[in-house]
Amino acid sequence: FTDLVGFSAWALDAGDAAALELLRAVGTADEAVVLEHDGRVVKRLGDGLMATFLTVQAAVDAALEVQAALAEIDLDGYRPKVRAGVHWGRPRRLGGDFLGVDVNIAARVADAAKPDQVLVSDDALARLDTNGLQVGRPKRLKAQGAPRDLHVAEVSRASD
């Protein structure tokens, strides 16, 4: 899952035309990145999206690249900040959508991320090749609708 941080407050001041222009630019950028990593956009959620990937590596690489792509967007001085959450599981398919506990967990992981942060669940982290990545110390995620033993860690590109 991804979500633009502070979008609603900004859109309130900027107006519908600017908000739509920004969402088009963001949609073009993030959908291209998802497709480059063999992912599939399941649905747009206003100023965010839900996507599925075949591997955790692809999901994390895409999330980090979406951050970089959105950092290039500037709409009259406004630069969108995105947060992302990655979880590994077996969601249930219903038509073109996915539902289930793992989808809820992924959403909670994304909700816990700060601006320009990618958080991964412990299930995802266990399946991630961390070469070239910096991984923060896992912390317990305290969120309604998330398992009590769920831990998350921040993932970013390693500094050279």
Side-chain angles (χ1 to χ4, degrees), residues 71-91:
E72 300 297 316
I73 296 174
D74 184 332
L75 185 64
D76 298 328
Y78 177 74
R79 294 182 153 307
K81 300 222 179 263
V82 67
R83 61 181 170 189
V86 176
H87 176 64
W88 176 261
R90 298 205 177 272

Side-chain angles (χ1 to χ4, degrees), residues 52-68:
T52 59
F53 296 85
L54 297 176
T55 67
V56 170
Q57 195 72 47
V60 169
D61 288 343
L64 293 170
E65 287 180 32
V66 162
Q67 284 182 332

Side-chain angles (χ1 to χ4, degrees), residues 19-99:
L20 288 173
E21 183 179 346
L22 179 71
L23 289 176
R24 283 187 188 103
V26 167
T28 299
D30 61 16
E31 289 178 24
V33 171
V34 168
L35 293 174
E36 285 173 21
H37 291 279
D38 296 324
R40 184 172 79 85
V41 174
V42 175
K43 59 186 165 185
R44 287 216 146 280
L45 303 161
D47 60 341
L49 66 79
M50 174 186 172
T52 59
F53 296 85
L54 297 176
T55 67
V56 170
Q57 195 72 47
V60 169
D61 288 343
L64 293 170
E65 287 180 32
V66 162
Q67 284 182 332
L70 297 193
E72 300 297 316
I73 296 174
D74 184 332
L75 185 64
D76 298 328
Y78 177 74
R79 294 182 153 307
K81 300 222 179 263
V82 67
R83 61 181 170 189
V86 176
H87 176 64
W88 176 261
R90 298 205 177 272
R92 307 289 186 215
R93 184 185 288 269
L94 180 63
D97 202 355
F98 287 90
L99 306 168

